[in-house]
Amino acid sequence: KNRALGPLFFHAPMASGDTEAPRPTLRPKQRVILHGLEAKEFNGKKGKLIFLDESLKPPRWHLTLESDPSVVHRILPEKLRPCPKEPRGKHALRPGRRVKIRGLVQQAELNGQFGRLLRLDSSVDPPRWLLRMKGQEVIYRLLPERLRLAPLPK
């Protein structure tokens, strides 16, 4: 089944002399994050591109969402951004990993403290990790560059 995600707006191509950053190149089989959709429940969801349907005006990418690959959606290119490349192996930030917080300015008292990663929130730009510190109910949302993998406690 096919379904478009609500009314979407098309941005005209950039005229020469525009200073706006160029849109990233998208290609089939690429993993993407949806953003800026009026159907807000889809913002932040990840999907995989199938093909660009240029017979539609304006053209739209056909894609499946990771959460439901049985449905094909049609999305405007400007509502998609490539998934960031994530470190792999023992150096990767991922749920369950223990991290040390560093470089915060407004909440400097958290610097040097340890927390456990819950999940990456890709619905915001830039994406932020949700983490909880031992013995606390508060969930913090921090940029990946503010976190370092921490050794396991002895």
Side-chain angles (χ1 to χ4, degrees), residues 36-56:
L37 298 169
E38 288 183 15
K40 298 205 182 303
E41 67 273 14
F42 289 98
N43 290 330
K45 297 240 181 194
K46 293 181 180 178
K48 189 173 186 179
L49 298 177
I50 302 170
F51 71 96
L52 180 63
D53 188 346
E54 297 189 53
S55 70
L56 299 173

Side-chain angles (χ1 to χ4, degrees), residues 14-15 17-22:
M14 295 185 340
D18 280 356
T19 57
E20 181 181 330

Side-chain angles (χ1 to χ4, degrees), residues 23-79:
R23 290 197 179 99
T25 302
L26 299 173
R27 62 187 185 286
K29 297 185 181 179
Q30 184 174 11
R31 292 182 63 235
V32 293
I33 300 172
L34 284 65
H35 70 97
L37 298 169
E38 288 183 15
K40 298 205 182 303
E41 67 273 14
F42 289 98
N43 290 330
K45 297 240 181 194
K46 293 181 180 178
K48 189 173 186 179
L49 298 177
I50 302 170
F51 71 96
L52 180 63
D53 188 346
E54 297 189 53
S55 70
L56 299 173
K57 299 298 177 211
R60 295 173 192 256
W61 276 97
H62 286 234
L63 64 91
T64 57
L65 298 178
E66 288 180 357
S67 58
D68 184 6
S70 66
V71 178
V72 175
H73 301 273
R74 296 180 309 273
I75 308 291
L76 291 169
E78 56 268 17
K79 302 297 181 180

Side-chain angles (χ1 to χ4, degrees), residues 36-149:
L37 298 169
E38 288 183 15
K40 298 205 182 303
E41 67 273 14
F42 289 98
N43 290 330
K45 297 240 181 194
K46 293 181 180 178
K48 189 173 186 179
L49 298 177
I50 302 170
F51 71 96
L52 180 63
D53 188 346
E54 297 189 53
S55 70
L56 299 173
K57 299 298 177 211
R60 295 173 192 256
W61 276 97
H62 286 234
L63 64 91
T64 57
L65 298 178
E66 288 180 357
S67 58
D68 184 6
S70 66
V71 178
V72 175
H73 301 273
R74 296 180 309 273
I75 308 291
L76 291 169
E78 56 268 17
K79 302 297 181 180
L80 304 168
R81 68 174 178 254
C83 282
K85 297 227 187 286
E86 298 171 2
R88 299 188 187 276
K90 65 180 184 178
H91 301 291
L93 294 177
R94 60 177 172 250
R97 290 267 171 113
R98 186 170 180 260
V99 293
K100 186 175 184 178
I101 300 170
R102 62 182 208 79
L104 296 179
V105 175
Q106 291 187 349
Q107 294 182 310
E109 68 278 3
L110 297 177
N111 290 331
Q113 294 191 38
F114 297 91
R116 185 92 40 204
L117 296 176
L118 302 173
R119 70 177 179 88
L120 182 64
D121 182 0
S122 298
S123 68
V124 295
D125 191 19
R128 296 170 189 265
W129 276 98
L130 278 60
L131 70 96
R132 181 176 290 147
M133 290 193 238
K134 190 173 186 174
Q136 293 188 22
E137 293 296 317
V138 178
I139 294 177
Y140 296 92
R141 299 165 60 108
L142 299 175
L143 293 168
E145 54 266 23
R146 301 290 176 226
L147 304 171
R148 289 291 175 254
L149 285 178

